[in-house]
Amino acid sequence: KLEKFPQNFLWGAASAAYQIEGGWNSDGKGPSIWDQFTKIPGKTFQGTNGDIAVDHYNRYKEDVKLMADMGLKAYRFSLAWSRILPDGSGEINEKGLAFYENLINELIKHNIEPVLTLYHWDIPQALQDRYNGWESRQVIDDFDNYARILFKRFKDKVKYWVSFNEQNVFTALGYRWEAHPPNLSDVKKMFEANHIINLANAKAINSFHELVPDGLIGPSFGYGPMYSFNCEPENVLATLNGEEFQNHWWLDVYVNGKYPKATFKQLVKLGVAPTVEEGDLQLLQSAKPDFLGVNYYHGGTVRANEIEFPSGDNDAGLEKSFEATDPYLMKPKEEQAQTPEKRMFSNVSNPFLEKTKWGWEIDPVGIRIALRRLQNRYDLPMMITENGLGAFDDLTNERTIEDDYRIEYLRGHIIEIQKAITDGVDLIGYCAWSFTDLLSWLNGYQKRYGFVYIDRDEKDEKALERIPKKSYFWYKSVIATNGQN
Ligand code: BGP
Protein backbone atom coordinates (compact mmCIF):
# COMPACT_ATOMS: atom_id res chain seq x y z
CA LYS A 1 0.00 0.00 0.00
CA LEU A 2 1.31 3.42 -0.92
CA GLU A 3 1.95 5.93 1.82
CA LYS A 4 0.33 9.34 1.58
CA PHE A 5 2.32 12.38 0.54
CA PRO A 6 3.48 14.38 3.57
CA GLN A 7 0.92 16.95 4.78
CA ASN A 8 2.93 20.02 3.79
CA PHE A 9 4.29 18.55 0.55
CA LEU A 10 5.28 21.35 -1.83
CA TRP A 11 3.29 20.80 -5.01
CA GLY A 12 4.90 23.27 -7.36
CA ALA A 13 5.91 24.30 -10.82
CA ALA A 14 9.11 25.85 -12.12
CA SER A 15 10.54 28.36 -14.58
CA ALA A 16 13.71 30.35 -15.25
CA ALA A 17 14.21 34.08 -15.81
CA TYR A 18 15.48 34.08 -19.39
CA GLN A 19 12.82 31.63 -20.49
CA ILE A 20 9.82 33.65 -19.31
CA GLU A 21 10.55 37.23 -18.33
CA GLY A 22 11.28 39.15 -21.51
CA GLY A 23 11.99 42.79 -20.72
CA TRP A 24 15.57 41.99 -21.63
CA ASN A 25 16.68 45.62 -21.31
CA SER A 26 13.80 47.05 -19.26
CA ASP A 27 14.31 49.28 -16.23
CA GLY A 28 18.08 49.22 -16.30
CA LYS A 29 18.69 45.50 -16.83
CA GLY A 30 22.11 44.71 -18.30
CA PRO A 31 22.60 42.02 -20.96
CA SER A 32 23.40 38.44 -19.96
CA ILE A 33 25.39 35.95 -22.00
CA TRP A 34 22.09 34.56 -23.30
CA ASP A 35 21.00 37.94 -24.63
CA GLN A 36 24.15 37.93 -26.72
CA PHE A 37 24.29 34.24 -27.63
CA THR A 38 20.78 33.98 -29.06
CA LYS A 39 21.65 36.70 -31.56
CA ILE A 40 24.35 34.54 -33.16
CA PRO A 41 22.83 33.14 -36.37
CA GLY A 42 22.09 29.42 -36.35
CA LYS A 43 22.45 28.91 -32.61
CA THR A 44 18.80 28.51 -31.65
CA PHE A 45 15.77 27.07 -33.42
CA GLN A 46 14.77 29.63 -36.09
CA GLY A 47 16.76 32.25 -34.20
CA THR A 48 14.30 32.48 -31.31
CA ASN A 49 15.36 34.46 -28.26
CA GLY A 50 14.02 35.64 -24.91
CA ASP A 51 13.74 39.37 -25.67
CA ILE A 52 10.01 39.23 -24.98
CA ALA A 53 9.68 35.57 -23.99
CA VAL A 54 6.21 35.23 -22.44
CA ASP A 55 6.32 38.78 -21.06
CA HIS A 56 6.19 37.58 -17.48
CA TYR A 57 8.06 40.74 -16.49
CA ASN A 58 4.93 42.73 -17.21
CA ARG A 59 2.32 40.06 -16.55
CA TYR A 60 3.58 38.41 -13.39
CA LYS A 61 0.42 39.33 -11.46
CA GLU A 62 -1.75 37.59 -13.99
CA ASP A 63 0.55 34.55 -13.83
CA VAL A 64 0.54 34.42 -10.04
CA LYS A 65 -3.25 34.68 -10.11
CA LEU A 66 -3.36 31.59 -12.32
CA MET A 67 -1.05 29.80 -9.87
CA ALA A 68 -3.29 30.78 -6.97
CA ASP A 69 -6.42 29.60 -8.78
CA MET A 70 -4.69 26.30 -9.35
CA GLY A 71 -3.86 25.99 -5.66
CA LEU A 72 -0.11 25.81 -6.31
CA LYS A 73 1.88 25.46 -3.09
CA ALA A 74 5.31 26.41 -4.42
CA TYR A 75 6.73 28.28 -7.37
CA ARG A 76 10.34 27.88 -8.40
CA PHE A 77 11.82 30.71 -10.47
CA SER A 78 15.26 32.18 -11.08
CA LEU A 79 16.59 35.71 -10.80
CA ALA A 80 18.47 37.39 -13.60
CA TRP A 81 21.76 38.52 -12.07
CA SER A 82 22.12 41.31 -14.65
CA ARG A 83 18.71 42.72 -13.71
CA ILE A 84 19.98 43.30 -10.19
CA LEU A 85 23.61 44.11 -10.99
CA PRO A 86 23.66 45.21 -14.63
CA ASP A 87 27.43 45.33 -14.55
CA GLY A 88 27.78 42.05 -12.64
CA SER A 89 29.09 43.85 -9.57
CA GLY A 90 28.95 47.41 -8.28
CA GLU A 91 25.81 49.48 -8.28
CA ILE A 92 22.50 47.74 -7.50
CA ASN A 93 19.67 48.35 -9.94
CA GLU A 94 16.84 48.94 -7.45
CA LYS A 95 14.18 48.61 -10.12
CA GLY A 96 15.37 45.14 -11.00
CA LEU A 97 15.37 44.09 -7.38
CA ALA A 98 11.92 45.62 -6.94
CA PHE A 99 10.55 43.39 -9.69
CA TYR A 100 11.54 40.29 -7.73
CA GLU A 101 10.39 41.76 -4.45
CA ASN A 102 6.97 42.41 -5.97
CA LEU A 103 6.83 38.92 -7.41
CA ILE A 104 7.74 37.37 -4.06
CA ASN A 105 5.18 39.52 -2.23
CA GLU A 106 2.53 38.52 -4.73
CA LEU A 107 3.33 34.82 -4.23
CA ILE A 108 3.26 35.13 -0.45
CA LYS A 109 -0.02 37.00 -0.60
CA HIS A 110 -1.47 33.94 -2.31
CA ASN A 111 0.16 31.44 0.06
CA ILE A 112 2.57 30.20 -2.57
CA GLU A 113 6.03 29.31 -1.25
CA PRO A 114 8.73 30.99 -3.36
CA VAL A 115 11.63 28.70 -4.32
CA LEU A 116 14.32 31.04 -5.53
CA THR A 117 17.10 29.99 -7.92
CA LEU A 118 20.17 32.22 -7.87
CA TYR A 119 21.65 31.06 -11.14
CA HIS A 120 19.87 29.56 -14.11
CA TRP A 121 22.54 30.05 -16.77
CA ASP A 122 22.52 33.81 -17.39
CA ILE A 123 25.74 35.35 -16.06
CA PRO A 124 26.01 39.09 -16.85
CA GLN A 125 27.71 39.69 -20.19
CA ALA A 126 29.79 42.36 -18.41
CA LEU A 127 31.56 39.63 -16.41
CA GLN A 128 32.06 37.50 -19.50
CA ASP A 129 33.70 40.50 -21.17
CA ARG A 130 35.68 41.51 -18.08
CA TYR A 131 37.33 38.20 -17.20
CA ASN A 132 35.67 35.38 -19.16
CA GLY A 133 32.99 34.76 -16.57
CA TRP A 134 33.25 31.35 -14.91
CA GLU A 135 36.80 30.85 -16.16
CA SER A 136 38.21 33.33 -13.67
CA ARG A 137 38.39 33.02 -9.91
CA GLN A 138 37.30 36.64 -9.64
CA VAL A 139 33.79 35.44 -10.28
CA ILE A 140 33.69 33.64 -6.93
CA ASP A 141 33.53 36.91 -4.99
CA ASP A 142 31.22 38.54 -7.51
CA PHE A 143 28.77 35.66 -7.28
CA ASP A 144 28.95 35.74 -3.51
CA ASN A 145 28.29 39.47 -3.52
CA TYR A 146 25.23 38.98 -5.75
CA ALA A 147 23.99 36.13 -3.55
CA ARG A 148 24.49 38.10 -0.33
CA ILE A 149 22.42 40.98 -1.66
CA LEU A 150 19.56 38.55 -2.19
CA PHE A 151 20.03 36.69 1.08
CA LYS A 152 19.86 39.94 3.01
CA ARG A 153 16.95 41.31 1.09
CA PHE A 154 14.73 38.23 1.03
CA LYS A 155 15.78 36.22 4.08
CA ASP A 156 12.51 36.83 5.90
CA LYS A 157 10.36 36.00 2.91
CA VAL A 158 12.03 33.11 1.14
CA LYS A 159 12.82 29.83 2.85
CA TYR A 160 13.87 27.60 -0.08
CA TRP A 161 16.83 28.58 -2.23
CA VAL A 162 18.54 26.88 -5.14
CA SER A 163 22.13 27.89 -5.80
CA PHE A 164 23.00 26.61 -9.27
CA ASN A 165 20.70 25.03 -11.82
CA GLU A 166 22.13 22.03 -13.67
CA GLN A 167 25.79 22.87 -13.45
CA ASN A 168 26.48 19.67 -15.38
CA VAL A 169 24.37 20.84 -18.29
CA PHE A 170 25.46 24.43 -18.68
CA THR A 171 29.18 23.66 -18.33
CA ALA A 172 29.04 20.82 -20.88
CA LEU A 173 26.89 22.63 -23.42
CA GLY A 174 28.64 25.96 -22.95
CA TYR A 175 32.31 24.99 -22.76
CA ARG A 176 32.43 21.77 -24.66
CA TRP A 177 29.67 21.42 -27.21
CA GLU A 178 29.31 25.03 -28.46
CA ALA A 179 25.58 24.77 -27.84
CA HIS A 180 25.22 27.34 -25.05
CA PRO A 181 27.19 30.47 -24.28
CA PRO A 182 30.12 31.03 -24.06
CA ASN A 183 30.05 28.83 -27.15
CA LEU A 184 33.34 26.97 -26.70
CA SER A 185 34.60 23.49 -27.48
CA ASP A 186 37.37 23.09 -24.96
CA VAL A 187 37.27 20.19 -22.51
CA LYS A 188 40.02 21.60 -20.32
CA LYS A 189 38.22 24.92 -19.93
CA MET A 190 35.04 23.07 -19.11
CA PHE A 191 36.66 21.31 -16.16
CA GLU A 192 38.39 24.48 -14.98
CA ALA A 193 35.21 26.56 -15.12
CA ASN A 194 33.30 23.77 -13.44
CA HIS A 195 35.73 23.74 -10.53
CA ILE A 196 35.43 27.50 -10.12
CA ILE A 197 31.64 27.21 -10.10
CA ASN A 198 31.97 24.60 -7.34
CA LEU A 199 33.95 27.10 -5.31
CA ALA A 200 31.42 29.86 -5.99
CA ASN A 201 28.65 27.52 -4.94
CA ALA A 202 30.44 26.63 -1.70
CA LYS A 203 31.20 30.22 -0.81
CA ALA A 204 27.61 31.30 -1.39
CA ILE A 205 26.27 28.39 0.65
CA ASN A 206 28.48 29.46 3.55
CA SER A 207 27.19 33.02 3.23
CA PHE A 208 23.67 31.67 3.23
CA HIS A 209 24.17 29.73 6.43
CA GLU A 210 25.55 32.86 8.04
CA LEU A 211 22.77 35.18 6.83
CA VAL A 212 19.71 32.93 6.54
CA PRO A 213 20.10 30.37 9.33
CA ASP A 214 16.47 29.28 9.13
CA GLY A 215 16.42 28.76 5.37
CA LEU A 216 17.36 25.80 3.22
CA ILE A 217 19.69 25.92 0.24
CA GLY A 218 20.90 23.36 -2.27
CA PRO A 219 21.88 23.01 -5.92
CA SER A 220 19.47 21.67 -8.55
CA PHE A 221 21.24 18.90 -10.35
CA GLY A 222 20.19 17.39 -13.68
CA TYR A 223 20.26 13.77 -12.59
CA GLY A 224 19.86 10.79 -14.86
CA PRO A 225 20.35 7.32 -13.40
CA MET A 226 22.64 5.11 -15.49
CA TYR A 227 21.56 1.62 -16.51
CA SER A 228 23.80 -1.14 -17.67
CA PHE A 229 23.10 -2.26 -21.24
CA ASN A 230 23.08 -5.83 -19.97
CA CYS A 231 24.52 -7.94 -17.16
CA GLU A 232 27.91 -8.52 -18.81
CA PRO A 233 30.33 -7.50 -16.04
CA GLU A 234 32.30 -5.17 -18.33
CA ASN A 235 29.13 -3.27 -19.06
CA VAL A 236 28.23 -3.13 -15.39
CA LEU A 237 31.67 -1.69 -14.68
CA ALA A 238 31.18 0.87 -17.45
CA THR A 239 27.90 1.84 -15.82
CA LEU A 240 29.74 2.52 -12.60
CA ASN A 241 32.06 4.76 -14.60
CA GLY A 242 29.16 6.46 -16.32
CA GLU A 243 27.36 7.14 -13.06
CA GLU A 244 30.54 8.62 -11.62
CA PHE A 245 31.44 10.72 -14.65
CA GLN A 246 27.95 12.04 -15.35
CA ASN A 247 26.58 12.40 -11.84
CA HIS A 248 28.88 11.89 -8.86
CA TRP A 249 31.47 14.20 -10.38
CA TRP A 250 29.21 17.04 -9.22
CA LEU A 251 27.16 15.57 -6.43
CA ASP A 252 30.12 14.21 -4.44
CA VAL A 253 31.63 17.68 -4.49
CA TYR A 254 28.42 19.38 -3.44
CA VAL A 255 27.78 17.05 -0.54
CA ASN A 256 31.22 15.80 0.54
CA GLY A 257 33.62 18.29 -1.01
CA LYS A 258 35.50 15.55 -2.89
CA TYR A 259 35.98 14.61 -6.53
CA PRO A 260 35.44 10.92 -7.26
CA LYS A 261 38.80 9.24 -7.76
CA ALA A 262 38.48 7.15 -10.91
CA THR A 263 37.21 10.08 -12.97
CA PHE A 264 39.78 12.47 -11.56
CA LYS A 265 42.57 10.06 -12.50
CA GLN A 266 41.29 9.79 -16.06
CA LEU A 267 41.24 13.56 -16.36
CA VAL A 268 44.79 13.81 -15.04
CA LYS A 269 45.92 11.23 -17.63
CA LEU A 270 44.38 13.29 -20.39
CA GLY A 271 45.70 16.57 -19.04
CA VAL A 272 42.25 18.07 -18.52
CA ALA A 273 41.85 17.81 -14.75
CA PRO A 274 40.91 21.05 -12.99
CA THR A 275 43.55 22.99 -11.10
CA VAL A 276 42.82 22.40 -7.42
CA GLU A 277 44.63 25.05 -5.41
CA GLU A 278 45.51 24.97 -1.77
CA GLY A 279 42.45 25.69 0.32
CA ASP A 280 39.96 24.70 -2.39
CA LEU A 281 39.05 21.38 -0.85
CA GLN A 282 38.65 22.94 2.58
CA LEU A 283 36.22 25.45 1.14
CA LEU A 284 34.29 22.73 -0.68
CA GLN A 285 34.13 20.59 2.44
CA SER A 286 32.95 23.46 4.61
CA ALA A 287 29.74 24.04 2.66
CA LYS A 288 27.15 21.31 2.82
CA PRO A 289 23.78 21.86 1.13
CA ASP A 290 20.62 21.47 3.21
CA PHE A 291 18.79 19.60 0.48
CA LEU A 292 19.31 18.40 -3.07
CA GLY A 293 17.23 19.76 -5.90
CA VAL A 294 16.74 17.06 -8.53
CA ASN A 295 15.82 17.82 -12.11
CA TYR A 296 14.69 14.58 -13.66
CA TYR A 297 13.87 14.03 -17.30
CA HIS A 298 15.56 10.75 -18.21
CA GLY A 299 18.53 8.53 -17.45
CA GLY A 300 21.03 6.87 -19.72
CA THR A 301 22.09 3.41 -20.75
CA VAL A 302 25.73 2.47 -20.84
CA ARG A 303 28.03 -0.23 -22.15
CA ALA A 304 31.78 -0.76 -22.05
CA ASN A 305 33.90 1.31 -24.39
CA GLU A 306 36.08 -0.12 -27.12
CA ILE A 307 39.17 1.66 -25.96
CA GLU A 308 39.48 -0.05 -22.66
CA PHE A 309 38.03 -3.30 -24.01
CA PRO A 310 39.19 -3.47 -27.64
CA SER A 311 38.29 -7.14 -28.00
CA GLY A 312 34.79 -6.11 -28.85
CA ASP A 313 33.46 -8.87 -26.61
CA ASN A 314 31.25 -6.40 -24.90
CA ASP A 315 29.42 -5.90 -28.19
CA ALA A 316 28.25 -9.49 -28.08
CA GLY A 317 24.63 -8.81 -27.32
CA LEU A 318 24.53 -5.49 -29.08
CA GLU A 319 21.77 -5.56 -31.64
CA LYS A 320 21.34 -3.09 -34.42
CA SER A 321 18.42 -1.47 -32.66
CA PHE A 322 20.80 -0.20 -30.00
CA GLU A 323 21.72 2.77 -32.06
CA ALA A 324 24.65 4.74 -30.69
CA THR A 325 23.53 8.13 -29.49
CA ASP A 326 26.89 9.69 -28.90
CA PRO A 327 28.46 11.83 -31.63
CA TYR A 328 31.88 10.77 -30.38
CA LEU A 329 31.32 7.19 -31.42
CA MET A 330 31.45 8.43 -35.00
CA LYS A 331 34.90 9.91 -34.54
CA PRO A 332 38.17 8.03 -35.18
CA LYS A 333 39.40 5.86 -32.31
CA GLU A 334 42.39 8.11 -31.53
CA GLU A 335 40.11 11.09 -31.15
CA GLN A 336 37.68 9.14 -29.00
CA ALA A 337 40.56 8.23 -26.73
CA GLN A 338 41.07 11.92 -26.08
CA THR A 339 37.68 12.29 -24.47
CA PRO A 340 37.61 11.18 -20.90
CA GLU A 341 34.30 9.38 -20.91
CA LYS A 342 35.20 7.36 -23.97
CA ARG A 343 37.87 5.71 -21.89
CA MET A 344 35.23 4.88 -19.33
CA PHE A 345 31.92 4.07 -21.00
CA SER A 346 29.70 4.50 -24.07
CA ASN A 347 26.09 5.62 -24.27
CA VAL A 348 23.48 3.56 -26.07
CA SER A 349 19.71 3.83 -26.49
CA ASN A 350 17.43 1.90 -24.18
CA PRO A 351 15.17 -0.37 -26.28
CA PHE A 352 12.58 -0.62 -23.51
CA LEU A 353 11.74 3.07 -23.42
CA GLU A 354 9.76 5.29 -25.73
CA LYS A 355 11.02 8.73 -26.60
CA THR A 356 9.54 12.19 -26.93
CA LYS A 357 9.55 13.94 -30.30
CA TRP A 358 12.88 15.43 -29.27
CA GLY A 359 14.39 12.05 -28.52
CA TRP A 360 14.23 12.17 -24.71
CA GLU A 361 13.48 8.80 -23.16
CA ILE A 362 10.27 8.57 -21.16
CA ASP A 363 11.03 6.65 -17.98
CA PRO A 364 8.81 7.18 -14.93
CA VAL A 365 10.41 4.30 -12.97
CA GLY A 366 13.71 6.10 -13.44
CA ILE A 367 12.58 8.88 -11.11
CA ARG A 368 12.12 6.36 -8.32
CA ILE A 369 15.51 4.80 -9.07
CA ALA A 370 17.03 8.29 -9.07
CA LEU A 371 15.56 9.19 -5.69
CA ARG A 372 16.54 5.88 -4.14
CA ARG A 373 20.13 6.09 -5.35
CA LEU A 374 20.53 9.70 -4.26
CA GLN A 375 19.00 9.01 -0.86
CA ASN A 376 21.38 6.13 -0.28
CA ARG A 377 24.52 7.95 -1.33
CA TYR A 378 23.86 11.46 -0.01
CA ASP A 379 21.22 11.08 2.67
CA LEU A 380 19.75 14.57 2.32
CA PRO A 381 16.17 15.75 1.93
CA MET A 382 15.33 16.20 -1.75
CA MET A 383 13.01 18.25 -3.86
CA ILE A 384 12.18 17.44 -7.48
CA THR A 385 12.89 20.86 -8.94
CA GLU A 386 12.02 19.94 -12.54
CA ASN A 387 10.19 17.17 -14.36
CA GLY A 388 7.96 17.45 -17.37
CA LEU A 389 7.14 16.65 -20.97
CA GLY A 390 8.07 18.79 -23.96
CA ALA A 391 5.41 18.45 -26.65
CA PHE A 392 3.71 20.22 -29.54
CA ASP A 393 0.32 21.34 -28.22
CA ASP A 394 -2.65 22.14 -30.45
CA LEU A 395 -5.11 24.86 -29.68
CA THR A 396 -8.60 23.60 -30.61
CA ASN A 397 -11.28 25.79 -32.21
CA GLU A 398 -12.83 26.10 -28.76
CA ARG A 399 -9.47 27.47 -27.59
CA THR A 400 -8.73 24.54 -25.30
CA ILE A 401 -5.68 22.28 -25.14
CA GLU A 402 -6.38 18.59 -24.62
CA ASP A 403 -2.94 17.54 -23.44
CA ASP A 404 -3.78 14.07 -22.16
CA TYR A 405 -0.25 12.92 -23.07
CA ARG A 406 1.17 15.41 -20.55
CA ILE A 407 -1.24 14.24 -17.87
CA GLU A 408 -0.21 10.66 -18.55
CA TYR A 409 3.46 11.59 -18.31
CA LEU A 410 3.13 13.54 -15.08
CA ARG A 411 0.79 11.02 -13.49
CA GLY A 412 3.27 8.23 -14.22
CA HIS A 413 6.07 10.15 -12.54
CA ILE A 414 3.99 11.23 -9.55
CA ILE A 415 2.98 7.63 -8.88
CA GLU A 416 6.65 6.66 -8.90
CA ILE A 417 7.65 9.42 -6.49
CA GLN A 418 4.89 8.26 -4.17
CA LYS A 419 6.41 4.79 -4.34
CA ALA A 420 9.81 6.32 -3.58
CA ILE A 421 8.35 8.05 -0.52
CA THR A 422 6.86 4.73 0.51
CA ASP A 423 10.34 3.22 0.10
CA GLY A 424 11.60 5.77 2.62
CA VAL A 425 12.89 8.62 0.47
CA ASP A 426 12.78 12.03 2.15
CA LEU A 427 11.10 14.16 -0.53
CA ILE A 428 9.82 17.61 0.36
CA GLY A 429 8.34 18.75 -2.92
CA TYR A 430 7.73 18.27 -6.61
CA CYS A 431 8.01 21.14 -9.09
CA ALA A 432 6.78 20.28 -12.55
CA TRP A 433 8.50 21.94 -15.46
CA SER A 434 6.90 24.33 -16.27
CA PHE A 435 4.05 26.58 -15.12
CA THR A 436 3.38 28.51 -18.32
CA ASP A 437 4.80 27.57 -21.69
CA LEU A 438 8.14 29.24 -22.13
CA LEU A 439 11.24 29.43 -24.26
CA SER A 440 13.03 26.14 -24.69
CA TRP A 441 16.67 27.26 -24.81
CA LEU A 442 17.53 25.74 -28.16
CA ASN A 443 14.14 24.55 -29.40
CA GLY A 444 12.21 27.78 -29.49
CA TYR A 445 8.62 28.25 -28.38
CA GLN A 446 7.15 25.25 -30.19
CA LYS A 447 8.43 22.79 -27.58
CA ARG A 448 5.91 23.34 -24.82
CA TYR A 449 5.99 22.17 -21.22
CA GLY A 450 3.46 24.35 -19.43
CA PHE A 451 0.18 23.82 -17.61
CA VAL A 452 -0.78 27.14 -19.15
CA TYR A 453 -0.69 27.63 -22.90
CA ILE A 454 0.72 30.86 -24.30
CA ASP A 455 -0.88 31.85 -27.58
CA ARG A 456 1.87 33.16 -29.82
CA ASP A 457 -0.22 33.41 -33.00
CA GLU A 458 -2.56 36.19 -32.05
CA LYS A 459 -1.88 39.91 -32.14
CA ASP A 460 -3.17 42.88 -30.17
CA GLU A 461 -5.15 42.19 -27.02
CA LYS A 462 -4.98 38.42 -27.52
CA ALA A 463 -1.22 38.39 -27.99
CA LEU A 464 0.46 36.02 -25.51
CA GLU A 465 -2.88 35.15 -24.04
CA ARG A 466 -2.73 32.64 -21.17
CA ILE A 467 -4.99 29.61 -21.60
CA PRO A 468 -5.04 26.89 -18.91
CA LYS A 469 -4.64 23.46 -20.50
CA LYS A 470 -6.46 20.28 -19.51
CA SER A 471 -3.35 19.37 -17.47
CA TYR A 472 -3.81 22.57 -15.45
CA PHE A 473 -7.15 21.35 -14.13
CA TRP A 474 -5.81 17.85 -13.59
CA TYR A 475 -2.85 19.15 -11.53
CA LYS A 476 -5.21 21.37 -9.59
CA SER A 477 -7.07 18.27 -8.39
CA VAL A 478 -3.80 16.46 -7.66
CA ILE A 479 -2.87 19.34 -5.35
CA ALA A 480 -6.33 19.57 -3.79
CA THR A 481 -6.25 15.87 -2.90
CA ASN A 482 -2.57 15.91 -1.90
CA GLY A 483 -1.48 13.55 -4.63
CA GLN A 484 -4.42 11.44 -5.62
CA ASN A 485 -4.72 11.33 -9.38
C1 BGP B 1 16.46 21.72 -18.10
C2 BGP B 1 16.57 23.19 -17.81
C3 BGP B 1 15.32 23.95 -18.02
C4 BGP B 1 14.49 23.49 -19.19
C5 BGP B 1 14.40 21.98 -19.31
C6 BGP B 1 13.79 21.51 -20.59
O1 BGP B 1 17.70 21.22 -18.45
O2 BGP B 1 17.01 23.39 -16.48
O3 BGP B 1 15.63 25.31 -18.06
O4 BGP B 1 14.79 24.14 -20.35
O5 BGP B 1 15.66 21.38 -19.17
O6 BGP B 1 14.75 21.53 -21.61
P1 BGP B 1 14.44 21.92 -23.09
O7 BGP B 1 13.90 23.29 -23.06
O8 BGP B 1 15.75 21.83 -23.80
O9 BGP B 1 13.48 20.92 -23.60
Side-chain angles (χ1 to χ4, degrees):
K1 188 161 176 292
L2 291 186
E3 278 173 27
K4 293 216 166 73
F5 283 91
Q7 258 322 309
N8 46 5
F9 192 74
L10 294 171
W11 293 103
S15 71
Y18 188 69
Q19 298 177 277
I20 58 164
E21 287 179 0
W24 77 280
N25 60 1
S26 298
D27 297 332
K29 176 178 172 292
S32 80
I33 53 171
W34 272 91
D35 290 311
Q36 176 142 329
F37 177 75
T38 48
K39 310 293 158 31
I40 304 172
K43 281 294 166 187
T44 63
F45 176 76
Q46 293 179 343
T48 38
N49 62 53
D51 285 2
I52 300 172
V54 306
D55 198 27
H56 176 73
Y57 188 69
N58 295 306
R59 303 187 194 208
Y60 73 91
K61 282 197 177 164
E62 187 185 345
D63 292 341
V64 174
K65 171 86 170 50
L66 283 163
M67 295 174 201
D69 290 347
M70 191 196 220
L72 210 66
K73 305 272 190 220
Y75 174 56
R76 171 179 178 236
F77 60 97
S78 79
L79 276 61
W81 182 346
S82 65
R83 210 181 268 298
I84 293 158
L85 295 161
D87 203 33
S89 56
E91 201 88 353
I92 295 178
N93 175 32
E94 277 300 329
K95 283 190 174 165
L97 207 47
F99 166 69
Y100 295 111
E101 180 127 52
N102 293 337
L103 170 63
I104 290 167
N105 288 342
E106 196 69 14
L107 290 166
I108 292 172
K109 192 167 102 193
H110 290 96
N111 298 316
I112 301 166
E113 188 80 54
V115 179
L116 193 160
T117 305
L118 295 174
Y119 188 76
H120 204 124
W121 304 354
D122 48 354
I123 191 171
Q125 183 64 40
L127 299 184
Q128 192 63 37
D129 295 341
R130 198 173 306 152
Y131 50 62
N132 291 331
W134 300 114
E135 286 173 56
S136 161
R137 285 181 178 241
Q138 289 181 55
V139 78
I140 300 169
D141 284 343
D142 283 340
F143 182 72
D144 187 49
N145 170 55
Y146 159 65
R148 290 179 78 96
I149 292 169
L150 302 174
F151 297 156
K152 285 184 198 152
R153 184 79 163 230
F154 299 132
K155 64 174 188 306
D156 297 325
K157 300 184 174 182
V158 179
K159 179 172 177 197
Y160 297 96
W161 300 69
V162 170
S163 51
F164 282 88
N165 180 72
E166 293 190 357
Q167 188 180 330
N168 52 332
V169 173
F170 80 84
T171 51
L173 294 180
Y175 290 86
R176 185 171 183 189
W177 301 111
E178 293 173 278
H180 279 194
N183 203 18
L184 300 175
S185 75
D186 188 324
V187 181
K188 171 79 173 156
K189 279 191 181 163
M190 175 183 76
F191 285 112
E192 292 291 6
N194 183 66
H195 180 63
I196 290 169
I197 297 163
N198 284 332
L199 298 169
N201 180 63
K203 183 155 190 185
I205 287 184
N206 283 340
S207 291
F208 182 84
H209 287 143
E210 169 202 327
L211 295 169
V212 199
D214 298 330
L216 299 172
I217 193 166
S220 274
F221 185 73
Y223 183 77
M226 296 289 140
Y227 303 146
S228 180
F229 159 67
N230 63 17
C231 55
E232 192 175 354
E234 285 173 353
N235 291 332
V236 175
L237 181 68
T239 311
L240 201 68
N241 287 342
E243 189 80 37
E244 184 174 309
F245 185 86
Q246 311 265 59
N247 295 319
H248 303 318
W249 180 253
W250 287 270
L251 291 162
D252 283 9
V253 176
Y254 290 145
V255 181
N256 300 320
K258 285 185 201 154
Y259 285 108
K261 283 200 179 133
T263 300
F264 202 92
K265 282 187 143 179
Q266 287 290 355
L267 302 190
V268 170
K269 256 189 232 164
L270 294 170
V272 297
T275 315
V276 179
E277 291 182 5
E278 215 187 306
D280 286 359
L281 293 178
Q282 282 88 322
L283 173 58
L284 296 175
Q285 276 155 26
S286 69
K288 197 171 164 120
D290 306 300
F291 73 99
L292 283 180
V294 182
N295 292 358
Y296 174 81
Y297 291 90
H298 57 80
T301 302
V302 159
R303 67 177 173 88
N305 67 83
E306 291 183 24
I307 292 157
E308 208 179 345
F309 299 104
S311 69
D313 287 353
N314 53 295
D315 280 348
L318 195 70
E319 290 162 28
K320 288 228 161 50
S321 63
F322 290 80
E323 128 229 6
T325 54
D326 192 321
Y328 261 86
L329 287 181
M330 317 295 189
K331 303 250 165 118
K333 286 274 162 54
E334 313 77 65
E335 215 174 304
Q336 287 187 29
Q338 291 315 307
T339 76
E341 66 270 50
K342 284 296 145 284
R343 305 176 72 93
M344 300 172 76
F345 65 96
S346 302
N347 294 307
V348 290
S349 264
N350 188 322
F352 300 102
L353 300 174
E354 285 183 16
K355 292 183 180 156
T356 71
K357 299 227 164 63
W358 285 266
W360 294 21
E361 287 170 352
I362 300 178
D363 178 16
V365 178
I367 202 169
R368 181 177 178 192
I369 296 172
L371 290 169
R372 287 282 301 273
R373 284 189 183 167
L374 293 172
Q375 183 79 65
N376 283 349
R377 188 162 175 131
Y378 300 111
D379 197 24
L380 284 173
M382 286 178 278
M383 185 192 298
I384 296 292
T385 38
E386 285 182 31
N387 171 237
L389 175 71
F392 297 107
D393 289 335
D394 291 321
L395 190 60
T396 65
N397 291 336
E398 293 73 44
R399 296 185 72 71
T400 61
I401 297 91
E402 308 294 318
D403 56 343
D404 295 279
Y405 38 89
R406 182 167 292 109
I407 296 173
E408 189 192 334
Y409 178 100
L410 294 172
R411 175 185 283 133
H413 286 76
I414 288 173
I415 290 171
E416 293 301 325
I417 63 173
Q418 191 174 5
K419 290 182 186 165
I421 290 171
T422 308
D423 294 335
V425 165
D426 182 4
L427 191 69
I428 56 181
Y430 172 85
C431 290
W433 184 265
S434 52
F435 184 68
T436 61
D437 287 339
L438 39 68
L439 174 68
S440 169
W441 300 95
L442 303 177
N443 302 294
Y445 290 98
Q446 34 127 40
K447 187 180 187 186
R448 294 171 183 270
Y449 281 90
F451 291 118
V452 177
Y453 186 88
I454 304 281
D455 190 350
R456 309 195 71 83
D457 296 329
E458 298 283 339
K459 301 249 161 358
D460 308 322
E461 75 276 6
K462 276 214 155 65
L464 302 180
E465 191 188 345
R466 275 80 170 130
I467 306 169
K469 304 178 190 177
K470 189 172 178 183
S471 57
Y472 173 99
F473 299 101
W474 168 81
Y475 197 52
K476 181 178 178 157
S477 78
V478 171
I479 299 170
T481 57
N482 195 25
Q484 284 164 37
N485 55 79

